[in-house]
Amino acid sequence: MAVERVVLVGFMGAGKSAVGRRLAGRLGWDFYDVDTVVEERQGRSISEIFTQEGEAAFRAAEVEAAGDVLARSRVVVATGGGWPTKEGRLESLPPGSLSVWLSVGAREALRRVGADAVHRPLLDVPDPAETARLLLENRYSYYALADARVDTEGRSVDDVTTRILEILEEHEFEYGAE
Ligand code: S3P
């Protein structure tokens, strides 16, 4: 089956949104950022959802939003950093999905996200470096379930996008799609 959906996973600051938008542009597909879909539907920021209702409420909204956009075709979907870190998430993507892990180290991730407490309340803590390191350690095995991995350290958004396009081509070739 031909790939009709690219699902980007990885830690905060991996570049899922920037790369996803660029990739969708190059493919002529639609781009969805699950965090943005959640914020639009709820009419408030991720940090407001965390503060007012707690992380569990955010996770429920995230699962619902991800389910809706992942049902579409000819889309690139940037998931939130926590979405794939549950049993069965990446394993049960709809047919025609190519999941790509954009990998980044904790130090570089923190450098990239800076002090964006509005979208990353999990890192708005007294010791963000240690928190990021631990989160990444716990999540590694989930991200590793993706079909492909592209390391983003020292690579531009364009480079990473081009690499994903190559992977897509290899994949189509492998599965005999036209
Ligand atoms: C989270 C990542 C964020 C956002 C929320 C929780 C996480 O998305 O969904 O703050 O658990 O890693 P990005 O990965 O787009 O920063």
Side-chain angles (χ1 to χ4, degrees), residues 138-152:
N138 289 334
R139 291 172 169 190
Y140 198 92
S141 60
Y142 290 103
Y143 295 150
L145 293 172
D147 299 314
R149 171 184 180 173
V150 179
D151 186 15
T152 66

Side-chain angles (χ1 to χ4, degrees), residues 10-14 16-17 33-35 46-47 50 55 58-59 62 78-83 85 113 116-123 135 139 143:
F11 201 60
M12 296 169 263
K16 302 180 295 286
S17 305
D33 183 324
V34 174
D35 286 340
I46 291 174
S47 69
F50 267 70
E55 181 172 351
F58 169 72
R59 295 297 171 201
E62 180 182 40
T79 60
W83 179 81
T85 66
V113 302
D116 180 9
V118 174
H119 297 106
R120 279 91 179 207
L122 289 179
L123 296 178
L135 272 174
R139 291 172 169 190
Y143 295 150

Side-chain angles (χ1 to χ4, degrees), residues 7 9 34 55-56 58-64 66-67 70 79-94 97 99 139 142-143 145-146:
V7 183
V9 303
V34 174
E55 181 172 351
F58 169 72
R59 295 297 171 201
E62 180 182 40
V63 167
E64 193 183 315
L70 288 170
T79 60
W83 179 81
T85 66
K86 274 253 172 342
E87 228 48 64
R89 290 274 159 86
L90 280 179
E91 297 92 322
S92 55
L93 285 172
S97 303
S99 54
R139 291 172 169 190
Y142 290 103
Y143 295 150
L145 293 172

Side-chain angles (χ1 to χ4, degrees), residues 27-48:
L27 290 166
W29 292 1
D30 289 332
F31 171 66
Y32 291 98
D33 183 324
V34 174
D35 286 340
T36 308
V37 174
V38 169
E39 290 183 323
E40 281 171 3
R41 287 185 180 181
Q42 299 247 336
R44 51 191 177 153
S45 71
I46 291 174
S47 69
E48 284 170 333

